[in-house]
Amino acid sequence: MFTNLLGVLGDGLPSGYRGLSAFALLGVAWLSWYMWRFTIRPALHPMQPKEMPYWIPVIGHGIQFFKDSEATFTKSRKYFGDVRKPFALTVMRQRLYIVTSPQDVSAIYRNTTTLTFDEFVRDMMLSFGASEEGVRKMWESRRTGGNVGSLHKVLAHAGEDYYRQQFHPGDRLNDLWSNIQDRLSASLQWNAITSDKLLSAQHDVKTVSLMDLCQDVLFSSATSAVFGDRLLQLAPKLLKAFIVFDDESWKLTYKLPPFLAKEMHKARQEIFAALQSYFALPRDGRTGATWVVDILETEMRRIGLEEHDIAALFGMPFWVINGNAYKLCFWYMAYLVNDAELLRAVRAEVDPAISQGLLGLEGRLEECPRLVAVYHEVLRCHTASASVRSVAAPTDLGDVTLDAGAKVLLPYRQLHFDASVFGPHVEEFRADRFLPTQISAKARVSVLSVAARPIAQGVMWQGENCLRLQRSWFIVTISMLLLCTLEWRKQGSLDVT
């Protein structure tokens, strides 16, 4: 029909003008679309979040979004006056509501009826390689273990209870802490820094990549503490595959086609193959796993899942366990080794705490204000995770209404650079920003806790509890690094690059 219309309009015109008339008609059509989309339609629906204008229909902000999503969020937020109200982006036909206010994010977490996380989790289960049948069983089968009061939950949701029991103060958590601390200590001994981890070595000087060291120490310690030693014995190159996957994982989240994500899919397959080989072994051939791994595997087998689906479903917790720790550790140590005064101040707090031994160490370290404050600032500056919700029904959020069928995206980094919460110069790293002497320190930590909700077995951990757990695990690691047998200097007995 459109071609016929062009033909009719072009009849009788000199041939040189026909192309011009077609171009003019396309221009009128585009202008009509633009006026409707960004002027008339918003006026007719004032309760809907305002949409960031774009030039190309369908594609929307897709190109710039995939190049630099944070820059796209920031530009859009400022376009609407930086008032931090929800706004809309169109990315490859998909309508996304972007939420950057701590109050709105908290309201979204409280809404578990019209704003659901389940669709995203199902998609991620499939993306990690689980079968349609396996995912169906996870969302239909009820659990049998744990507390009687939660037996009504489907297994996809029951993981929340299992993780809470694993990380609740008590014997299970104490055993895990002890295991991690022993492995960290062993990994950081001078003789453990072997030739394959060195950039160079001469007499009593070893030059290492700080990033590589953080990756190796944290990945091996956490993976072996959670799954036992057998997984890394089966797949000694698993770290290499994981780093590639972690760097490219955003392509999995945003469902880029395979031809644009070859390296990510290859790495994901290597991780999957390692986990499948691990779960194919009899349990007495892979001892040392934590309680939560054992109970989840037991429940998965009870509902009829095979090794293929079990391995795929454990891909998500495996990613969470290892995904952020090494990056935060790298940045923490990078700031310290480049600031001698800050390094001395942190070590002055840590030395007395760790000199009493490993037992109860995490509790003593929590009382080190400078150590914890720097951790919070590193977390603020270098966390770039996000969460997604699906709008199941029209939902009021503040003074706007979210349409059913859209996606809600919560980019946590946008919260962390809110000057009204974190004070001036939010683009800069400031080691004293979270010290208890700061008037707004508690409020700032509270906002960080909103974003401290990593995915675990398809559910979200509680914000403040999770932040406390992450902090304890992280500051123990940093303390081990600071007080191991190595001397941390930019130039000296251990050279970090």
Side-chain angles (χ1 to χ4, degrees):
M1 182 176 72
F2 185 68
T3 304
N4 293 336
L5 178 60
L6 289 178
V8 171
L9 291 175
D11 286 345
L13 290 175
S15 60
Y17 289 92
R18 291 179 183 178
L20 183 61
S21 67
F23 182 79
L25 182 61
L26 288 174
V28 171
W30 178 87
L31 184 61
S32 299
W33 164 80
Y34 191 90
M35 290 293 293
W36 164 257
R37 183 81 181 189
F38 303 114
T39 302
I40 301 173
R41 188 173 183 271
L44 296 176
H45 303 278
M47 294 299 293
Q48 292 183 348
K50 295 179 179 179
E51 182 171 19
M52 181 69 175
Y54 55 91
W55 297 106
I56 306 175
V58 180
I59 293 176
H61 300 279
I63 296 174
Q64 55 265 48
F65 182 85
F66 290 126
K67 287 177 63 177
D68 190 340
S69 59
E70 286 299 329
T72 304
F73 298 145
T74 301
K75 179 182 178 180
S76 303
R77 192 189 75 232
K78 291 182 177 179
Y79 177 86
F80 292 116
D82 204 12
V83 295
R84 293 190 173 269
K85 287 186 177 181
F87 58 86
L89 293 177
T90 294
V91 178
M92 301 302 181
R93 290 187 177 180
Q94 177 66 62
R95 186 176 179 86
L96 299 176
Y97 293 128
I98 312 301
V99 177
T100 63
S101 158
Q103 294 78 16
D104 288 339
V105 171
S106 295
I108 287 172
Y109 283 144
R110 292 193 298 269
N111 185 337
T112 59
T113 54
T114 63
L115 299 175
T116 70
F117 189 55
D118 293 353
E119 182 180 343
F120 173 75
V121 174
R122 287 191 182 94
D123 286 345
M124 291 300 290
M125 288 177 170
L126 293 170
S127 296
F128 271 91
S131 67
E132 292 277 0
E133 178 66 12
V135 173
R136 183 189 64 78
K137 290 180 178 179
M138 289 291 293
W139 292 92
E140 292 182 0
S141 302
R142 308 292 174 175
R143 62 180 288 189
T144 61
N147 298 327
V148 175
S150 56
L151 293 182
H152 65 282
K153 292 184 179 180
V154 297
L155 188 53
H157 287 161
E160 182 176 3
D161 296 328
Y162 294 136
Y163 281 102
R164 281 174 174 170
Q165 292 176 57
Q166 174 68 67
F167 295 110
H168 187 76
D171 291 342
R172 290 176 184 140
L173 182 58
N174 292 339
D175 289 344
L176 179 59
W177 278 136
S178 178
N179 196 347
I180 290 174
Q181 290 168 356
D182 289 344
R183 292 178 185 278
L184 284 171
S185 180
S187 298
L188 290 168
Q189 299 305 310
W190 180 263
N191 292 334
I193 311 298
T194 52
S195 58
D196 59 315
K197 302 172 185 176
L198 298 176
L199 298 178
S200 65
Q202 185 178 7
H203 302 299
D204 61 345
V205 176
K206 293 181 177 181
T207 303
V208 301
S209 161
L210 178 58
M211 178 61 86
D212 289 350
L213 184 66
C214 291
Q215 288 172 349
D216 180 73
V217 168
L218 273 79
F219 179 85
S220 60
S221 298
T223 298
S224 297
V226 172
F227 291 95
D229 294 320
R230 194 71 177 114
L231 179 57
L232 292 184
Q233 291 172 356
L234 289 170
K237 296 182 179 180
L238 189 56
L239 170 60
K240 183 178 180 180
F242 177 78
I243 296 304
V244 173
F245 172 78
D246 196 38
D247 287 343
E248 301 269 307
S249 58
W250 65 273
K251 297 179 180 180
L252 185 75
T253 303
Y254 292 118
K255 298 182 179 180
L256 264 66
F259 74 90
L260 294 177
K262 291 181 180 179
E263 292 300 315
M264 182 276 292
H265 283 291
K266 179 182 177 182
R268 184 200 63 78
Q269 183 59 34
E270 290 182 42
I271 296 170
F272 168 77
L275 289 169
Q276 187 173 22
S277 297
Y278 172 83
F279 284 109
L281 294 173
R283 289 199 179 186
D284 59 5
R286 48 181 171 90
T287 58
T290 56
W291 174 84
V292 70
V293 171
D294 285 338
I295 189 65
L296 281 172
E297 180 188 357
T298 297
E299 288 293 289
M300 288 179 185
R301 292 190 184 278
R302 180 188 62 79
I303 65 174
L305 298 188
E306 302 292 341
E307 282 80 17
H308 176 97
D309 283 326
I310 294 174
L313 293 169
F314 266 98
M316 294 172 66
F318 180 82
W319 182 24
V320 171
I321 290 166
N322 293 296
N324 286 320
Y326 72 87
K327 300 169 192 172
L328 296 176
C329 187
F330 166 81
W331 283 110
Y332 198 117
M333 293 303 301
Y335 286 119
L336 292 187
V337 297
N338 283 282
D339 187 335
E341 183 178 349
L342 180 61
L343 176 60
R344 283 193 296 271
V346 172
R347 291 198 66 161
E349 291 183 345
V350 169
D351 283 345
I354 206 169
S355 65
Q356 301 177 46
L358 296 181
L359 184 63
L361 174 62
E362 63 273 11
R364 294 194 298 276
L365 292 175
E366 290 282 358
E367 299 174 1
C368 299
R370 178 73 64 174
L371 174 72
V372 174
V374 174
Y375 163 74
H376 284 146
E377 181 68 349
V378 170
L379 185 67
R380 185 190 72 84
C381 290
H382 298 287
T383 297
S385 56
S387 188
V388 180
R389 295 293 187 274
S390 299
V391 186
T395 302
D396 292 335
L397 183 65
D399 58 359
V400 301
T401 300
L402 310 181
D403 284 344
K407 303 287 187 184
V408 180
L409 191 62
L410 317 175
Y412 297 133
R413 189 170 177 81
Q414 292 293 310
L415 276 67
H416 293 173
F417 286 80
D418 185 347
S420 68
V421 176
F422 294 102
H425 310 292
V426 289
E427 301 297 330
E428 301 175 7
F429 174 88
R430 295 206 165 185
D432 61 350
R433 194 182 302 270
F434 287 90
L435 285 176
T437 53
Q438 296 290 322
I439 295 176
S440 301
K442 287 186 177 181
R444 292 170 181 176
V445 173
S446 178
V447 172
L448 278 182
S449 73
V450 171
R453 296 171 179 244
I455 303 169
Q457 194 55 38
V459 296
M460 306 301 284
W461 294 352
Q462 297 299 309
E464 293 183 1
N465 291 336
C466 183
L467 181 67
R468 192 177 304 113
L469 176 64
Q470 289 178 326
R471 183 174 64 213
S472 296
W473 150 239
F474 186 80
I475 61 178
V476 166
T477 302
I478 290 298
S479 301
M480 291 285 192
L481 285 168
L482 289 173
L483 293 171
C484 62
T485 57
L486 311 177
E487 182 68 21
W488 290 90
R489 301 173 186 165
K490 292 173 64 179
Q491 300 291 331
S493 61
L494 182 67
D495 203 13
V496 293
T497 60

